[in-house]
């Protein structure tokens, strides 16, 4: 049934129920017993006789007048259908789902409809027939059959029209048949009574109409039954193609209203834990591909408007000009809110319509309660009144349930769409924002926009309708209260109004705390993100404790804010529990004291109480809604700002040119990488132009590797071509590496390429560029991270004049001199400008700075060979680019005049060799996945987890909290029982004497309840915060002690998820869930106690109801819990994919993979919503069922009150029924909270899991502490040493034995993957020995504490890692050294000029990952760190790879002078740096191949000699 028409139906139904009563009372028409013919004319239309109401109301066998039956009851369904039809037909025209084939069901419905029409017209013709016989009937006998007959034709038309429009189940018609049956029940009974009477007196008068009526009745009942069934889905609908479609699209009207279609999943989830494959596909209309473009279209419209406003014409010249100028406002910002409303508003409004209806029905039950209590007072009233009231109460409550859940469904789906669209918009935006904008929002902040802010919107939509609904409910409640108690209500209203500022103040304050807490949380997550990214460095430098303290300091601030929030929370909880009570108290007190004649009887007291209870909800929700709107507005602004960031101008680079190899050289920080960024269009263009012809491939200075297989990283979305792929691997020297990797090229690479060495990563990045066959190659220093001989191989086979890329345009940023003679042109950059440019020969002839530089550094005679091919002319077009340090760059555009055809990449590389091993898949062993999929726990949450949490709170405290809750419920019951006693005074006329006593005790009990509430929620909050602190501390502590191998195999996103999402749940969600759970549990319990004590027979019903309740609850919890788990597991990939994307945006853009990545993100979001959507529906499904049980409780409480009305006093009836009306809500919430508690406690489970991972050796071993001056000599000895990365993997180093004297300088060389870096990691014990020993100065390093060891060694790592914070903090986090020492270190590392030029000097802020320094400068910072620590043993890991030769030379001399007496191990790529070392160690496949002085090794002509020859260092 179509949503738009449900409200109409319900309104009519309501009027009908009240209408029958009203008519029968007011018109008081009844037919004189039996004779329907001899009726006197009433206005000539409908013959009837006015008779007393005794026959309709005050009789044990009531009936309605025939006139009423023939007119009102017959016309009601017809009026409904004719009114509903036009809008419905319009809706069907708009939403055509394709036609449905004629089925048996459809044929039967149609035939029955035809027969109905015939039956009605039979009536009509028989009336005409009687007319001709001279028997005149009143007009009603003509009108009614005509109207009903026409309506049946309309219904017939609808049945067919719906079939053609693909409606499988019609709500409109279902309601029509339902109404028809309902209205026909009265005549059905009347006719039987009438017949009984007439049979006694002889014969039945009107046989024909008697027969047609029963025909008519059986047919409409049949139609009603048939309309419960569904048609087949329309032809060609996507149901046929979808493997696991959502049954909602094919569900019938009844099934939709009661969410019956969800039952199949509930059963499946109960039998065995749900898995991802059990989930239904997302409805097309909720998927990213529909939702995101919808929002983006609206947003673009908004942006277009605001830019128009920006560039609109200036005011016309004239006098008014200056006046206008003064009034001109800032240009209008595009409003994100407006685009959201336009995109999702209309759908949301349907939900609002349901809400309106539900608000109105809410007030029916207090009125019915009033009638029920007055009924119990009247001794002679007919019993059917009571039963009618009881069933009406049930019916009203049930209707309210159905409507409320439809409203929620609409709201939640809107919320879900909002989240999808916001995430989609942010993701798309993050791919195209400028670098300047990117620096404004860090990855962490953007992820927060996606997770927290999008979530805020989602949460808000559920309650947004309260904005208008709360005031409406309050006004209605006050109106009915005024009717009940008169002006005394004003006293209560005054109390409410006084409480509003209190609640508002609390809300504002909470809001402020929340903002503050968000900042701390942001800061903590950002810091954790950096710590986890740089965990290796922290371990190497033994800096963990300093960073741990930093995190704990932020955490402490966060907890302090949480504690303040908890104080406020306790206050507001008290306010919200006490508000209705205080209002009731003041109202009743004023009522009885104002006037002596005012008597508080049961009717007044309990009806008022139930109205006060209705009031409670809007009163409390309203401030909350306001505060969550404020929160969402903050989020809105954050999102709007982000979406309004500047975008890269896709037009800034005009792409055209072909053909030569250009090298860019210069000092560190002179703008070489910025030049490349400019060519990619990543910089902001100030002036001038850039043009590039053709597609671009880009190899960044620091390789960007995805968490995927090695092959996927190289293919990067291109189709796999075996031969081309093999050639790429060969050219990039990756073939040998594949033999080393466990799964060949299908090995999974960890996040950021964690399990590849630096050189391998760089070569994969290069292979990706090569495979992509672009026209222009931008290579940002790709050769620095690889060994000299590999660099030569790559230059010869890929980049150089004979390489695979010959004939392409290549721009190579490089520090390697040996390649310069072979390039076509060289650009020399100095401080952001081009100082010289030309071919190698030309620059030598110019004899400028470059020639000078070469003479100093070139170790061989410069070979004069002229290799410039083609004439390349260069045009200068000067442009200024904004970049980190402001630099102006002279930009070059190459145009090859002859424009030779671009030659194929495959040329010559794969010429004749056909690869024997053409099918690599067959040979590969089963690969062990590096990164295991994140597992979702299944089944019930183990009670152990609850116990863990209770332990963290404190076991005694936990018991005490439960005790407090019990007391509070007892006080509440006490107050209400006392009220019921008080109302009974009225009956015994002993009111005035005890008024003050009654009011006093009532007040005391209520106050006690308020206080207990406050104390209990406060104690609970304290316990929860204590638990949160312990759990976070355990997690943090464990993560700092976790061995490096854990971080290599676990995506950082997963660990961050524990620190952000799960800790957030433990901090904020869990406490409120526990609070609600205890509250609802005790309130449900107290309801049962009250009803059973007042009507003991109720105990009989409790058992079956409780059984159903537990049954439904078990189904729901099992399913819902698993859905929540699946949802949280599918959430991490969204964020980790996102952070991976953000770090690689420039590469994604350069390769034009933008759309593919957007699609990937959308798929991940949809995958996540696939488990979220059934989660929402499961709540609706549960709600309808549990509230049905609640409604049954109301029904039975009322029924038993009616049955036992003689024994019960009105006070008790009021008490038990008004409690029953309350129970629905708390039962529903209790199951909800049980489930929430289970799903939120999962956070504790997840945090525990990561707090108990295996730890590394202790940081300090007290009894084995080495002396403070250890190591004094610096002797290092390896004896029979072997090591592997992780259990079950191959050995990386096999049986190394060597000894190094103090002060020796050892160079370590070898192919990539020979185990060079591993050897250095062993010294730090990042890898623990698999066999053998390392001793330093006679101390076995495996026996001492890790910090004692690591703090005595210094490493300059391969990848310079900086943390956000000041430069000083990066050099010396423990603040051990004076400023003088720090400056000295900077001077020796050649950074002092750069730092002293900065306004902030040492306090220079480094951004996340040191992004605002060039890679070379970061490397120098690492050198400065080493100079500060100045330990006896120094390890350099390819430290100077990213630095130009001149700086490299300075550094080498610094190391030689400053670390003269230290033992130095250098992993070298540039062999010239180690030619003067004491000895050189050559590693091959984890074993020592050669170990001797450089001279001897060259003499021996072994591996080392070969490498030296490649580097041009040996003849």
């Amino acid at each position: 049934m179509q949503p738009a028409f449900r409200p109409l139906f319900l309104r009519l139904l309501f009027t009908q129920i009240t209408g029958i009563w009203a008519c029968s009372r007011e018109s008081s028409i009844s037919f004189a017993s039996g004779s329907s013919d001899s009726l006197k004319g009433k206005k000539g239309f409908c013959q009837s006789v006015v008779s007393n109401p005794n026959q309709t109301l005050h009789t044990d066998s009531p009936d309605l007048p025939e006139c009423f039956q023939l007119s009102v009851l017959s016309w009601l369904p017809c009026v409904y259908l004719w009114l509903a039809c036009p809008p419905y037909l319009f809706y069907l025209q708009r939403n055509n789902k394709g036609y449905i084939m004629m089925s048996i069901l459809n044929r039967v419905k149609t035939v029955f409809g035809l027969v109905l029409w015939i039956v009605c017209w039979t009536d009509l013709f028989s009336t005409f027939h009687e007319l001709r016989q001279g028997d005149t009937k009143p007009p009603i006998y003509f009108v009614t059959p005509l109207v009903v007959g026409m309506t049946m034709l309309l219904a017939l038309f609808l049945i067919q029209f719906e079939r053609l429009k693909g409606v499988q189940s019609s709500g409109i018609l279902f309601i029509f048949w339902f109404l028809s049956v309902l209205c026909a029940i009265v005549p059905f009974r009347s006719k039987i009574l009438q017949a009984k009477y007439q049979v006694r007196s002889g014969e039945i008068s009107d046989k024909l109409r008697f027969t047609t009526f029963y025909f008519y009745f059986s047919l409409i009942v049949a139609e009603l039954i048939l309309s419960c069934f569904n048609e087949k889905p329309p032809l060609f609908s996507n149901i046929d193609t979808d493997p696991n479609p959502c049954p909602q699209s094919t569900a019938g009207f009844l099934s939709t209203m009661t969410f019956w279609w969800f039952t199949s999943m509930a059963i499946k989830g109960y039998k065995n834990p749900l898995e991802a494959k059990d989930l239904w596909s997302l409805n097309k209309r909720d998927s990213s591909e529909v939702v995101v473009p919808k929002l983006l279209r609206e947003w673009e419209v908004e942006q277009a408007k605001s830019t128009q406003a920006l560039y609109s014409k200036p005011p016309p010249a004239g006098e008014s000009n200056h006046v206008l100028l003064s009034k001109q406002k800032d240009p209008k910002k595009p409003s994100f809110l407006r685009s959201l409303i336009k995109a999702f508003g209309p759908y949301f409004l349907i939900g609002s319509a349901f809400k309106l209806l539900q608000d109105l029905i809410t007030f029916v039950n207090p009125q019915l309660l009033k009638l029920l209590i007055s009924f119990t007072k009247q001794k002679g009233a007919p019993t059917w009144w009571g039963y009618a009231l009881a069933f009406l109460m049930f019916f009203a409550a049930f209707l309210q349930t159905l409507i409320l859940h439809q409203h929620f469904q609409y709201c939640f789906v809107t919320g879900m769409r909002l989240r999808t669209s916001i995430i989609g918009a942010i993701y798309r935006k993050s791919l195209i924002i400028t670098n300047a904008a990117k620096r404004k929002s860090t990855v962490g902040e953007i992820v927060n926009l996606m997770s927290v802010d999008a979530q805020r919107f989602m949460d808000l939509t559920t309650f947004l309708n309260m904005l208008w609904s709360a005031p409406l409910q309050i006004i209605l409640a006050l109106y009915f209260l005024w009717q009940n108690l008169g002006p005394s209500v004003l006293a209560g209203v005054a109390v409410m109004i006084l409480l509003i500022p209190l609640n508002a103040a609390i809300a504002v304050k909470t809001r402020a705390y929340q903002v503050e807490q968000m900042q701390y949380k942001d800061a903590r997550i950002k810091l954790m993100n950096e710590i986890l990214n740089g965990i290796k460095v922290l371990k190497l430098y033994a800096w963990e404790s300093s960073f741990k303290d930093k995190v704990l300091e932020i955490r402490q601030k966060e907890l302090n804010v949480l504690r303040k929030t908890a104080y406020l929370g306790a206050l507001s909880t008290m306010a919200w529990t006490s508000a209705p009570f205080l209002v009731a108290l003041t109202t009743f007190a004023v009522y009885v004291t104002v006037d002596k004649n005012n008597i508080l009887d049961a009717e007044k007291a309990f009806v008022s109480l139930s109205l006060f209870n209705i009031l409670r909800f809007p009163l409390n929700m309203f401030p909350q809604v306001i505060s969550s709107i404020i929160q969402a507005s903050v989020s809105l602004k954050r999102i709007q700002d982000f979406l309004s960031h500047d975008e890269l101008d896709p037009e800034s680079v005009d792409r055209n040119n072909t053909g030569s190899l250009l090298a860019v050289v210069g000092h560190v920080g002179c703008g070489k990488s910025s030049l490349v960024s400019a060519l990619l269009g990543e910089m902001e263009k100030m002036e001038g132009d850039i043009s590039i012809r053709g597609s671009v491939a880009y190899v960044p200075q620091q390789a960007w590797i995805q968490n995927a297989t090695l092959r996927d990283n190289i293919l990067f979305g291109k189709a796999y071509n075996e031969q081309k792929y093999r050639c790429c691997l060969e050219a990039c020297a990756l073939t040998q590496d594949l033999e080393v990797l466990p799964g060949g090229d299908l090995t999974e690479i960890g996040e950021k390429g964690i399990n590849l060495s630096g050189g391998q990563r760089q070569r994969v990045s290069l292979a990706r560029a090569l495979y992509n066959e672009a026209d222009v190659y931008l290579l940002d220093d790709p050769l620095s991270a690889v060994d000299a001989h590999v660099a030569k191989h790559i230059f010869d086979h890929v980049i150089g004049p004979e390489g695979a890329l010959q004939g392409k345009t290549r721009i190579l940023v490089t520090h390697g001199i040996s390649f310069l003679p072979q390039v076509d042109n060289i650009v020399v950059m100095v401080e952001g400008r081009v100082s010289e440019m030309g071919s190698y020969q030309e620059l030598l002839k110019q004899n400028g700075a470059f020639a000078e530089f070469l003479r100093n550094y070139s170790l061989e005679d410069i070979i004069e060979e002229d290799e410039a091919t083609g004439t390349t002319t260069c045009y200068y077009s000067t442009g200024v680019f904004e970049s980190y340090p402001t630099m102006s760059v002279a930009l070059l555009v190459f145009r090859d005049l002859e424009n030779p055809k671009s030659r194929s990449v495959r040329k010559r590389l794969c010429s004749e060799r056909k690869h024997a091993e053409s099918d690599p898949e067959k040979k590969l062993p089963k690969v062990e996945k590096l990164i295991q999929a994140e597992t979702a726990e299944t089944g019930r949450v183990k009670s152990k987890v609850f116990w863990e949490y209770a332990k963290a709170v404190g076991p005694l405290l936990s018991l005490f909290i439960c005790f407090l809750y019990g007391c509070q419920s007892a006080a509440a019951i006490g107050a209400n029982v006392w009220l019921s006693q008080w109302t009974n005074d009225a009956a015994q006329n002993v009111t005035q004497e005890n008024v003050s006593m009654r009011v006093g005790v009532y007040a005391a009990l209520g106050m006690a309840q308020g206080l207990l509430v406050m104390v209990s929620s406060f104690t609970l909050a304290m316990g929860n915060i204590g638990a949160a602190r312990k759990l976070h501390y355990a997690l943090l502590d464990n993560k700092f002690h976790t061995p490096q191998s854990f971080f290599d195999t676990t995506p950082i996103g997963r660990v961050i998820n524990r620190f952000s999402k799960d800790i957030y749940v433990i901090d904020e969600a869990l406490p409120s869930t526990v609070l609600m759970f205890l509250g609802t549990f005790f309130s449900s319990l107290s309801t049962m106690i009250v009803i059973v004590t007042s009507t003991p027979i109720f105990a009989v019903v409790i058992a079956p109801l409780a059984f159903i309740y537990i049954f439904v609850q078990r189904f729901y919890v099992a399913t819902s819990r698993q859905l929540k788990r699946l949802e949280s597991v599918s959430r991490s990939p969204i964020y980790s994919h996102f952070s991976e994307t953000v770090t690689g945006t420039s590469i994604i853009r350069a390769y034009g993979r933008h759309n593919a990545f957007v699609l990937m993100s959308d798929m991940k979001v949809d995958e996540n919503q696939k488990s979220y959507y059934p989660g929402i529906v499961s709540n609706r499904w549960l709600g309808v069922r549990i509230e049905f049980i609640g409604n049954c409780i109301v029904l039975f409480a009322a029924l038993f009150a009616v049955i036992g009305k003689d024994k019960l006093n009105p006070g008790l009836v009021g008490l038990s029924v008004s409690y029953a009306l309350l129970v629905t809500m708390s039962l529903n919430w209790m199951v909800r909270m049980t489930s929430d508690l289970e799903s939120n406690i999962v956070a504790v489970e997840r945090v525990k899991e990561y707090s108990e991972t295996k730890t590394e050796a202790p940081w300090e071993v007290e009894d084995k502490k080495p002396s403070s001056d250890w190591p004094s000599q610096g002797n290092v000895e390896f004896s029979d040493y072997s090591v592997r990365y992780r259990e079950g993997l191959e050995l990386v180093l096999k049986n190394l034995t060597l000894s190094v004297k103090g002060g020796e300088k050892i160079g370590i060389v070898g192919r990539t993957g020979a185990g060079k870096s591993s050897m250095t990691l062993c010294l730090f014990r990042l890898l623990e020995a698999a066999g053998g020993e390392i001793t330093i100065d006679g101390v076995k390093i495996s026996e001492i504490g890790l910090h004692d060891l690591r703090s005595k060694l210094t490493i300059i790592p391969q990848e310079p890692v900086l943390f956000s914070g000041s430069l000083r903090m990066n050099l010396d986090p423990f603040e051990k050294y004076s400023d003088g020492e720090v400056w000295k270190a900077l001077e020796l590392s050649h950074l002092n000029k750069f730092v002293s030029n900065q306004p902030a000097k040492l306090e220079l802020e480094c951004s996340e990952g040191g992004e605002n320094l060039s890679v070379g400068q970061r490397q120098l910072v690492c050198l400065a760190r080493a100079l500060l620590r100045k330990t006896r043993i120094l390890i350099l890991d390819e430290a100077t790879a990213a630095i130009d030769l001149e700086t490299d030379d300075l550094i080498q001399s610094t190391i030689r002078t400053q670390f003269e007496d230290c033992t130095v191990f250098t992993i070298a790529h540039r062999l010239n740096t180690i030619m003067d070392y004491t000895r050189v160690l050559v590693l091959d496949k984890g074993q020592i191949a050669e170990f001797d002085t450089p001279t001897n090794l060259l003499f021996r002509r072994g591996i080392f000699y070969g490498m030296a020859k490649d580097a041009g260092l040996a003849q």
Side-chain angles (χ1 to χ4, degrees), residues 985-1019:
D985 288 355
Q988 290 125 30
N989 298 324
V990 283
T991 45
Q992 284 321 320
E993 300 83 281
N994 357 11
V995 161
S996 51
M997 188 262 293
R998 290 291 190 196
V999 172
V1001 175
Y1002 187 56
L1005 283 166
M1007 296 296 177
Q1009 183 200 354
L1011 272 172
L1012 283 165
V1013 168
M1014 182 163 158
V1015 175
S1016 54
S1017 54
F1018 186 68
T1019 331

Side-chain angles (χ1 to χ4, degrees), residues 1257-1289:
W1259 286 346
E1260 284 166 5
V1261 180
E1262 282 310 317
D1263 50 346
K1264 292 273 188 190
K1265 255 191 165 350
S1267 60
S1268 56
D1269 60 346
W1270 175 87
S1272 47
Q1273 270 90 41
N1275 300 330
V1276 180
E1277 211 164 313
F1278 285 74
S1279 56
D1280 206 17
Y1281 189 82
S1282 309
V1283 73
R1284 56 169 54 94
Y1285 271 107
R1286 291 194 307 286
E1287 285 302 309
L1289 294 185

